[in-house]
Amino acid sequence: MKPADTGDTINAMAIIEQAQPGHATLRRLPRDLIASRELLLDLVRKDLRVRYRYAALGFLWAVLEPLAYMVVLTFIFERVLAPKSGTAMFGPGIPFASGLLCGLVFWQFTTQCLSAATASLLDNQNLVKKVCFTREVIPLAAMGYPTFSLLIGFVVLLMVNAILGGTLGLSALWIAPLFLIQLSITVGVGLFSAALNVRFRDVGYMVNIVLLLGFYASPVFYDLDWVLAAAQSGDVPAIVVQAYLANPMAELLEAYRQALLEGRTPNGWLFVWPACVAVVSLIGGCVAFRRSAPTLSDYL
Amino acid sequence: MTVIEAQEITKTYPAQGGKRALLGRGGIARLFRNTPTPPRQALAPLSLTVEPGEARGIIGRNGSGKSTLLKIIAGVSAATTGTLRVHGRVASLLELGAGFHPMLTGRENIYLNAGLLGMRHAQVDACFDAIVEFAELEAYIDHTVDTYSSGMYVRLAFSVAIHTDPDVFLVDEVLAVGDESFQRKCRARILELKAAGKTILFVSHDLGTVQALCDRVLLLDQGAVISQGNTQNTIDYYLRQIGQASGIRRLIHGDTEVLFNHGRLSLFHRQQELTAPLGIKAQFFSMEAYHESTEANWEICAATDERLEATGTFPRLPLRLYIVCEVGTAGLTVEISWENTQPLDLSYAAIQCFTKTSYTRWHGGAASGTFPTITADDHRWSVVAQPRQNVWACELTGDESSDMPPLCFAVDEAHSQARFQINNTDYMAQARLVHLTEAIPSGNNPLPPKRRHLGSLRIDPSQTAEQLAETKAQRSIARTLKTDRFVARLHDGFIEITLHEQAPTTSFPRTWESRTRQELAETTLDPRSRGDDEPISPSGSEQKLVVTETKEYPLTHFMHFHFQLRVGDLWIMSHDLAWSETANSDGVLSMSGRSQRFPGEVVWTLEPDGPNTLRISILLEVTARDTETLPSLEGLGVGLHPDQAAPNPPLTPPRRGTRKTAPPAATCRGQIALESLEISEYNVSVCLVPEYTRWETPHESGKFGAAALADDGWVHLNRAYTEGTVIKALSDTGSKIALTAEKTLGTCFPTAIRTDSGQDSRVLQLLCSPGQQQSFTLGVGKHNLFRGRLSL
């Protein structure tokens, strides 16, 4: 056996492994991903390039698009809907625009990632059917653009918050572990639904419906306390509240808001359930994807 | 150490429909109809080991599992059961440019695609320039790929794939990419990789390429290995057994066996294939592209064990082909005719017979020679010999050691327009090619719809060379004229000059190729005797025979002394004519030649003048013939006039009203009779052996020089065309030969010509041009085209 010319036997080994995906194990996943990191970046770059190549404003759209989306939603909820409801949607001292943006930016990330990842294998079936490479790269690359919009959205959020008189404390550092949890959930579910969508094409549509429902069933444009208060008052059956809280995004979005806008350490219980979901979904998603990877091309 | 090791691998594709309708491509409707498609087993348990540096072909019908096997080895799909080990990097050329995105530039796509094939940026950087250079896209590399032509796209994709430097290449039919020259480049590159010790797995339907490239072949059918091993045997087996079911017909008679496979014929003799995998097929040039009989959709109209009639229709050309082939005691007879259903521009039609390279010698008419060996540098087909048109048969033979039976290709003489050409193919095709071509003058196009005969070819593997020579001698007329110093042999429209001397003189060193011939003394005693060409057998036992040994030095070569006439678009050559003997008196030799396409008769008269000179005269008699007998006169520059006696003269006006000659009474009434023949130029030439190194005209002189490989056709060596009547050739040893004109039509220009290396001759030519006039207009009657002499 001749090692690759640059002497990186790891790469050569990875390809031997790829040549027999039937034996691709979970243990090898990190190594495979490291070996194909450049490919992953290339695919993400391709996605971004292709999106804006022939547009006159070019890359500016990457900023304008999420910005316009947030402006429209903020306008609708703050100017059209909020006055009628009459109550403050978020905690005391938090402007509606900041509260909404905080929920929206992080919620959009998960939504965009999941719908893009689910469709990714079908969209790239000519690659999957013809070329052998680490299959995980495809759904992961599909999450590149949402990550990019998240960054832009986050910058916008900070600016809006500053303009509206919000301050940023050290507690903002809590968003790092929070985002890690959210990312794990998103990647795990995304891999799972991507693999599943190849066998059951209905999955793609179901994912989109669930995400639409999730937008209202997550504290995006209202506060979690609002829901908890309604539960305590007995207006809503306890089982519905339990179901609501089973959505890890409910806790996560609340925690983001506490860390960023309220400037305090998020409540401990907000971490527990999402972290459990994250571990389970990440492992489950990777295992499911690895299992189906060798035969993906048979179903495409 | 093995590179690929597969043990009992199977592949079953999942079911579709039924209860699992939600799976894959199934739909809800299927769920209710409950019509499941059963799981499809694409590969039965299959074991395979491939050694490093091996080129393994995989052949089989469509759906036999070839691509599935390749996909499993490539890692695109996993085997259902069994184990597979692949050592080393694998690059699959399963589909070129799969990862290309049209909106990215060529540069970005190179990095992306190479990344998909397992390369890192640093590795791509190292060979980026080589990739671009190979794809010939230096100028466009920063343009987006959607501005590329499909050829550029594929070139770039192939170039990336080939530069990934893997240990194992999987190639699936991708060699059929790009234009002809790029295809050759790809093949050459694949051969380089093979030479560099890479392992190649090659799936193709192009059996010729498989044979040229692969060391061993795996034959798959219905997912199982049918045969595995020697390339030739496996391909033979495939053609005979597996192919049978898929529209391939087999004709058999005695030892001769013929396979008809969608417009391609393969010939077997005693189970051994004589034809190359490309077989025998027809080819046409139309609409600026070559079309082959294998591209047509074939329908077998009638078939028995010994006879087959098939009709082929071209999908994109209003052309229909009819093949009738028959095997019998006389070997294989193939009759091909073609019909255009609409007016069609077509400039060329041919029957191509590709044979094994174990045939090493060719014989055509009186000439014969050895095929050059085909080397890896041969990217093009090369002409080995182009025998004259009225050669009705040519033959290929193998080495003495080979067991290949001599293969005789005979064409029916009535069909005199076709012409044999004997070629070598390029390295990948690895075949000898006997080409029966028919050129259609451009003036005739577009051709009106009509069924036309392309040729009837008889290929006889059972006929031996001796039998052939015997038949040849019976048919071919040759007469010889002798003087004390040389022999002029007039045959097939050539005059072959041979010097004979009892003892070699200083002017002919021993290096000069000579042959020794035993002759009857009686014939040598009489210098002007003429007899049959081969007076070898001492027939009369009562005669006292003295046998002397003579050294012979051939002075002429290849096409010997011949003439060419240009009539309209066509060159008519002396060897295109059918020659017969006319009444001869003592010491003068005379022969006349005729052709179906040529409204006249040419009479050659040869007369010795002293021991060193041969007087030659060429007389052309234009005869008035009614056009019915001249089917192919269209396109010829002949002037016609309507018969005055015709009750309804056709509206065709005479092209030249002057010099009318009364048509002979024999001309049928109401038909157009020939009035004059227009010859735009003509020449007489003598092709000399390469021992002649220098040439001399009254105005210029020079060296012939060695033929360069790059020479395309004949190279004229004189710088100016100056009027003159004599041209000489000289050898290094001082012997010379001169061609002198005493009387010609128009102006005469001596020209020295070097032929290409295959023909390897030095040509002295006297070119006769009408000067200011457009052409020579020759009315009915006799015209002296040339009177002159050839002197040593």
Side-chain angles (χ1 to χ4, degrees):
Chain A
M1 187 173 70
K2 200 185 100 186
D5 45 5
T6 48
D8 55 343
T9 39
I10 290 180
N11 195 23
M13 290 301 288
I15 283 150
I16 295 167
E17 183 51 48
Q18 280 171 27
Q20 356 168 9
H23 303 273
T25 54
L26 195 61
R27 217 153 34 84
R28 277 221 132 98
L29 180 62
R31 198 190 284 176
D32 283 356
L33 283 178
I34 288 166
S36 40
R37 63 188 186 278
E38 278 180 333
L39 175 61
L40 179 64
L41 289 176
D42 276 345
L43 285 170
V44 171
R45 201 174 301 143
K46 173 199 109 176
D47 196 28
L48 294 175
R49 278 272 158 89
V50 165
R51 248 171 227 265
Y52 305 111
R53 174 142 261 167
Y54 290 145
L57 294 181
F59 222 65
L60 201 56
W61 278 116
V63 183
L64 290 179
E65 211 182 348
L67 197 62
Y69 190 70
M70 283 181 283
V71 167
V72 170
L73 279 181
T74 315
F75 176 76
I76 288 173
F77 283 109
E78 196 179 25
R79 301 285 161 205
V80 185
L81 295 177
K84 283 178 193 162
S85 67
T87 52
M89 288 298 213
F90 300 109
I94 299 176
F96 182 76
S98 316
L100 172 66
L101 261 182
C102 183
L104 198 58
V105 164
F106 290 102
W107 171 256
Q108 279 290 315
F109 170 72
T110 295
T111 308
Q112 288 179 349
C113 279
L114 288 186
S115 65
T118 306
S120 63
L121 285 172
L122 291 189
D123 291 345
N124 289 291
Q125 53 176 301
N126 61 329
L127 291 187
V128 177
K129 276 162 83 171
K130 301 295 177 194
V131 193
C132 166
F133 54 93
T134 308
R135 300 290 192 227
E136 282 82 359
V137 164
I138 292 279
L140 289 181
M143 296 178 185
Y145 174 69
T147 311
F148 185 72
S149 351
L150 172 74
L151 286 175
I152 290 166
F154 189 67
V155 172
V156 172
L157 168 65
L158 292 183
M159 287 184 336
V160 168
N161 190 36
I163 290 167
L164 295 178
T167 50
L168 206 61
L170 270 179
S171 62
L173 291 178
W174 280 106
I175 61 167
L178 285 172
F179 183 68
L180 192 67
I181 292 172
Q182 188 190 356
L183 188 67
S184 305
I185 296 173
T186 309
V187 167
V189 176
L191 285 177
F192 183 76
S193 66
L196 202 63
N197 188 39
V198 172
R199 298 207 182 194
F200 304 94
R201 301 291 162 98
D202 315 61
V203 168
Y205 305 101
M206 294 196 295
V207 164
N208 283 333
I209 292 170
V210 168
L211 288 173
L212 186 65
L213 183 70
F215 179 71
Y216 297 99
S218 304
V220 178
F221 55 90
Y222 51 86
D223 212 320
L224 185 63
D225 292 339
W226 203 64
V227 179
L228 296 176
Q232 270 168 6
S233 66
D235 293 348
V236 187
I239 182 99
V240 174
V241 178
Q242 289 302 314
Y244 184 92
L245 290 176
N247 170 15
M249 287 308 285
E251 287 87 357
L252 280 174
L253 293 182
E254 182 62 23
Y256 276 126
R257 235 174 244 129
Q258 288 179 3
L260 263 179
L261 305 179
E262 293 176 22
R264 62 184 170 97
T265 304
N267 296 336
W269 69 274
L270 291 176
F271 286 89
V272 179
W273 173 243
C276 296
V277 174
V279 170
V280 171
S281 75
L282 187 62
I283 293 173
C286 288
V287 169
F289 196 92
R290 274 266 131 162
R291 283 248 175 123
S292 62
T295 52
L296 280 179
S297 62
D298 298 347
Y299 291 91
L300 282 168
Chain B
M1 178 182 158
T2 52
V3 171
I4 300 170
E5 204 178 337
Q7 281 171 6
E8 301 285 311
I9 55 171
T10 67
K11 178 74 193 176
T12 308
Y13 281 108
Q16 291 175 4
K19 280 177 187 164
R20 300 176 69 187
L22 285 172
L23 293 176
R25 299 191 194 90
I28 292 285
R30 282 249 186 108
L31 184 67
F32 297 115
R33 266 189 263 127
N34 201 17
T35 48
T37 48
R40 192 166 65 82
Q41 183 161 31
L43 280 187
L46 181 148
S47 297
L48 172 76
T49 51
V50 181
E51 303 296 324
E54 191 182 338
R56 178 76 67 94
I58 302 174
I59 59 173
R61 277 187 282 169
N62 287 334
S64 56
K66 308 186 293 285
S67 297
T68 304
L69 177 60
L70 228 54
K71 274 184 171 181
I72 291 173
I73 294 171
V76 171
S77 177
T80 311
T81 61
T83 59
L84 172 74
R85 271 172 213 286
V86 181
H87 302 279
R89 279 169 63 123
V90 178
S92 59
L93 310 187
L94 295 187
E95 185 157 302
L96 291 175
F100 275 15
H101 196 288
M103 274 162 75
L104 296 181
T105 64
R107 184 185 300 274
E108 291 162 338
N109 268 314
I110 288 178
Y111 280 96
L112 184 62
N113 211 20
L116 283 167
L117 294 171
M119 281 174 96
R120 309 171 87 176
H121 280 195
Q123 290 168 308
V124 184
D125 289 338
C127 63
F128 185 85
D129 291 338
I131 292 175
V132 177
E133 195 192 325
F134 187 81
E136 300 160 21
L137 285 173
E138 290 90 341
Y140 306 97
I141 200 63
D142 286 317
H143 291 221
T144 54
V145 166
D146 53 1
T147 61
Y148 284 17
S149 71
S150 57
M152 290 157 81
Y153 187 90
V154 175
R155 279 194 333 244
L156 184 61
F158 185 86
S159 183
V160 174
I162 211 90
H163 281 92
T164 50
D165 190 38
D167 304 301
V168 183
F169 273 97
L170 308 176
V171 188
D172 189 1
E173 292 284 6
V174 290
L175 288 187
V177 298
D179 57 3
E180 186 61 32
S181 72
F182 190 71
Q183 277 190 29
R184 279 196 292 268
K185 202 168 158 185
C186 293
R187 289 175 182 176
R189 188 63 201 241
I190 297 257
L191 285 177
E192 272 175 37
L193 291 171
K194 190 187 164 191
K198 306 287 184 188
T199 308
I200 299 171
L201 248 67
F202 184 63
V203 165
S204 183
H205 287 287
D206 179 2
L207 299 180
T209 311
V210 170
Q211 188 168 29
L213 183 68
C214 302
D215 312 316
R216 294 173 73 195
V217 172
L218 183 74
L219 172 59
L220 290 181
D221 192 44
Q222 294 177 348
V225 180
I226 297 290
S227 166
Q228 165 156 227
N230 179 291
T231 307
Q232 186 53 54
N233 295 346
T234 313
I235 289 178
D236 280 3
Y237 185 86
Y238 171 59
L239 283 174
R240 289 140 158 276
Q241 302 301 323
I242 307 297
Q244 201 83 19
S246 56
I248 296 176
R249 289 298 173 118
R250 189 164 69 138
L251 309 181
I252 187 156
H253 180 96
D255 287 339
T256 312
E257 193 183 333
V258 173
L259 279 172
F260 175 82
N261 174 9
H262 299 105
R264 176 184 298 158
L265 292 160
S266 313
L267 179 66
F268 295 82
H269 184 65
R270 294 189 183 138
Q271 315 284 312
Q272 183 186 21
E273 189 175 5
L274 307 182
T275 46
L278 291 168
I280 300 166
K281 59 191 180 185
Q283 194 188 48
F284 297 89
F285 188 80
S286 173
M287 327 277 273
E288 295 177 2
Y290 284 101
H291 303 272
E292 302 202 333
S293 55
T294 46
E295 292 163 21
N297 300 318
W298 286 92
E299 194 182 317
I300 294 170
C301 308
T304 63
D305 273 357
E306 298 188 355
R307 189 183 155 85
L308 173 111
E309 283 177 42
T311 313
T313 328
F314 281 89
R316 283 184 298 273
L317 213 59
L319 189 63
R320 196 172 292 156
L321 272 178
Y322 302 90
I323 289 188
V324 178
C325 59
E326 203 172 342
V327 283
T329 42
L332 162 71
T333 313
V334 189
E335 204 181 306
I336 301 181
S337 50
W338 53 282
E339 180 181 8
N340 50 330
T341 48
Q342 285 167 34
L344 178 68
D345 271 314
L346 196 131
S347 56
Y348 160 94
I351 303 179
Q352 299 177 324
C353 310
F354 293 88
T355 68
K356 287 280 168 60
T357 43
S358 21
Y359 285 104
T360 49
R361 281 191 70 75
W362 59 269
H363 312 264
S368 67
T370 311
F371 281 105
T373 312
I374 302 174
T375 64
D377 294 333
D378 290 326
H379 297 319
R380 288 169 41 174
W381 291 4
S382 54
V383 178
V384 173
Q386 187 150 9
R388 45 218 167 273
Q389 187 161 359
N390 70 335
V391 162
W392 52 274
C394 56
E395 193 200 7
L396 302 187
T397 50
D399 283 337
E400 279 107 53
S401 57
S402 90
D403 54 349
M404 304 296 272
L407 205 52
C408 168
F409 299 83
V411 67
D412 53 345
E413 274 170 283
H415 187 68
S416 58
Q417 271 123 315
R419 164 187 289 268
F420 273 117
Q421 197 182 53
I422 298 168
N423 290 23
N424 256 343
T425 64
D426 61 305
Y427 186 64
M428 290 300 284
Q430 276 289 351
R432 314 290 184 205
L433 168 63
V434 176
H435 214 201
L436 187 68
T437 57
E438 182 175 352
I440 294 146
S442 58
N444 288 8
N445 277 316
L447 295 167
K450 190 183 163 189
R451 183 164 167 170
R452 293 170 176 81
H453 191 63
L454 175 57
S456 167
L457 194 65
R458 200 162 54 77
I459 303 169
D460 195 347
S462 59
Q463 200 170 19
T464 62
E466 295 91 72
Q467 287 170 325
L468 189 84
E470 213 170 274
T471 344
K472 211 187 297 181
Q474 282 170 9
R475 300 276 203 103
S476 160
I477 295 170
R479 294 289 175 265
T480 50
L481 186 70
K482 286 189 175 139
T483 71
D484 290 339
R485 281 203 71 199
F486 65 86
V487 178
R489 183 162 169 266
L490 182 54
H491 66 94
D492 303 309
F494 294 127
I495 304 170
E496 193 181 333
I497 313 280
T498 317
L499 189 84
H500 64 93
E501 282 179 1
Q502 306 288 166
T505 63
T506 46
S507 64
F508 287 97
R510 293 199 175 275
T511 53
W512 196 295
E513 192 188 319
S514 67
R515 49 177 192 249
T516 309
R517 184 157 152 184
Q518 294 194 328
E519 272 185 279
L520 294 176
E522 280 177 4
T523 53
T524 47
L525 287 173
D526 176 7
R528 287 174 309 184
S529 84
R530 60 185 169 78
D532 275 325
D533 187 38
E534 310 287 347
I536 297 166
S537 61
S539 52
S541 55
E542 305 109 70
Q543 282 177 296
K544 182 159 169 58
L545 302 169
V546 185
V547 179
T548 57
E549 219 169 65
T550 325
K551 279 272 187 199
E552 284 195 345
Y553 301 94
L555 303 186
T556 59
H557 183 58
F558 184 49
M559 301 211 337
H560 309 291
F561 180 94
H562 64 281
F563 76 84
Q564 306 174 317
L565 295 175
R566 190 173 157 88
V567 182
D569 286 333
L570 279 182
W571 278 103
I572 299 213
M573 319 235 182
S574 56
H575 52 258
D576 289 351
L577 307 175
W579 291 89
S580 58
E581 195 176 10
T582 55
N584 282 313
S585 56
D586 257 5
V588 182
L589 194 55
S590 174
M591 272 178 126
S592 72
R594 293 172 160 278
S595 164
Q596 282 245 312
R597 339 182 69 177
F598 179 61
E601 186 179 6
V602 179
V603 181
W604 287 24
T605 312
L606 266 62
E607 196 182 347
D609 182 10
N612 291 329
T613 309
L614 180 71
R615 306 193 69 85
I616 301 165
S617 93
I618 302 170
L619 201 71
L620 170 68
E621 186 177 2
V622 180
T623 47
R625 287 159 83 179
D626 61 73
T627 49
E628 285 285 287
T629 60
L630 288 171
S632 50
L633 219 55
E634 28 175 315
L636 295 186
V638 284
L640 304 167
H641 84 99
D643 190 347
Q644 268 115 1
N648 295 310
L651 292 172
T652 329
R655 282 180 59 187
R656 261 168 207 260
T658 55
R659 300 179 64 179
K660 277 190 185 171
T661 319
T667 313
C668 297
R669 277 196 208 105
Q671 281 168 351
I672 301 171
L674 181 75
E675 187 200 49
S676 61
L677 184 68
E678 286 178 19
I679 297 175
S680 43
E681 62 177 291
Y682 69 92
N683 64 59
V684 292
S685 317
V686 55
C687 297
L688 301 169
V689 290
E691 277 80 0
Y692 287 101
T693 51
R694 282 173 296 132
W695 55 272
E696 206 177 291
T697 69
H699 315 283
E700 273 184 73
S701 64
K703 283 195 168 172
F704 281 110
L709 275 172
D711 286 356
D712 210 12
W714 290 22
V715 180
H716 285 227
L717 300 168
N718 44 319
R719 283 182 295 280
Y721 293 94
T722 323
E723 207 177 323
T725 53
V726 63
I727 179 162
K728 288 179 198 164
L730 299 100
S731 77
D732 287 340
T733 50
S735 69
K736 63 180 179 183
I737 189 163
L739 179 64
T740 317
E742 284 163 2
K743 188 173 183 294
T744 59
L745 297 176
T747 332
C748 184
F749 300 100
T751 313
I753 298 169
R754 180 175 73 216
T755 66
D756 64 40
S757 59
Q759 299 162 345
D760 205 21
S761 308
R762 314 283 178 250
V763 185
L764 302 182
Q765 190 174 76
L766 291 173
L767 202 136
C768 302
S769 137
Q772 295 299 318
Q773 288 153 311
Q774 282 275 304
S775 56
F776 301 112
T777 308
L778 305 181
V780 173
K782 290 188 180 180
H783 305 272
N784 207 334
L785 288 187
F786 176 85
R787 204 170 67 217
R789 59 182 189 272
L790 200 59
S791 35
L792 301 180

